[in-house]
Amino acid sequence: MKHGKKYNESLKLVEPGKLYDVNEAMELAVKTKTAKFDETVEVHVRLGVDSRHADQQVRGAVVLPNGTGKKVRTLVIAKGDKAKAAEEAGSDFVGAEDMVEKIQKENWLDFDVVIASPDMMGLVGRLGKVLGPRGLMPSPKAGTVTPDVGKAVTEAKAGKIEYRLDKTNIIHCPIGKVSFGAEKLQQNLETLMGAIVKAKPASAKGQYIRSCVVSATMGPGIKLNPAKFGA
């Protein structure tokens, strides 16, 4: 794969084969940005588990202390007092059958997070084929199926992200924008990694965090020392 001049210049700043400490890696992630827009910094964590086994799934959600830098649009499926609580919390869209119908008939997907009260999951279940493949299906583990929908909206807008193991045993997550600076990115990364370590399945054997790489959207990958995360 051919890379542009700016990428190749950034690549020279990253020492091949070196495992960086978190603070060094975050400073490099900021330095190696190449685009004119405010690039997202992402982390990719390979775990020593097997996602094919139900008892080795790693999934959850965590509120990043400095947010993600992205404006999050929330859709809440709820009725009555819960719908009112969602509106008061500032949810972009609130409804029940009307919202489900809009998604089904118009293929409407102008939202980033779907939150539902538990009594609405029978209704939301109809959207499984639409929301599931896009990673938008509400779930109790992610905190998006909850009786306290107002709190869920507040957390989502404050920078709550979901982490989830893919089929190749890797978790991919955004941890903020380049403009945050190294210190805030480090705080976000350490919060996320702390949650992933805490979510280690009891059945996981051997080294849990096999590798960890961070990069800006258009920048090169920077390898972190997985031993620093204590798992």
Side-chain angles (χ1 to χ4, degrees), residues 40-202:
T40 297
V41 178
E42 297 179 349
V43 61
H44 311 277
V45 188
R46 183 183 295 278
L47 299 182
V49 296
D50 189 341
S51 61
R52 292 173 298 179
H53 299 293
D55 63 348
Q56 293 192 37
Q57 289 294 326
V58 179
R59 182 181 183 182
V62 63
V63 178
L64 299 180
N66 301 300
T68 62
K70 179 184 176 184
K71 185 180 183 296
V72 177
R73 299 165 299 174
T74 56
L75 163 62
V76 174
I77 307 294
K79 287 182 176 180
D81 291 343
K82 292 183 179 65
K84 187 178 178 183
E87 288 170 353
E88 289 174 352
S91 183
D92 300 86
F93 309 101
V94 181
E97 286 88 356
D98 56 332
M99 290 296 174
V100 172
E101 190 173 319
K102 186 175 175 70
I103 293 168
Q104 286 177 321
K105 291 187 176 180
E106 300 175 26
N107 198 31
W108 174 71
L109 293 164
D110 292 339
F111 45 82
D112 306 296
V113 177
V114 183
I115 297 161
S117 58
D119 57 314
M120 290 285 102
M121 283 311 290
L123 180 65
V124 177
R126 300 177 196 171
L127 301 173
K129 288 183 179 178
V130 179
L131 301 182
R134 293 172 172 82
L136 291 169
M137 194 66 182
S139 85
K141 279 191 176 180
T144 45
V145 176
T146 172
D148 194 347
V149 293
K151 181 184 177 185
V153 170
T154 301
E155 288 182 343
K157 289 187 172 289
K160 186 174 187 177
I161 60 166
E162 185 178 356
Y163 57 87
R164 187 177 186 177
L165 202 65
D166 69 10
K167 290 178 181 177
T168 61
N169 304 319
I170 299 175
I171 289 173
H172 309 272
C173 278
I175 55 166
K177 298 287 186 179
V178 165
S179 61
F180 283 18
E183 188 178 343
K184 287 185 177 180
L185 289 170
Q186 180 174 343
Q187 290 169 355
N188 279 359
L189 176 68
E190 288 175 344
T191 299
L192 171 63
M193 294 305 294
I196 292 172
V197 169
K198 197 173 179 181
K200 180 181 179 179

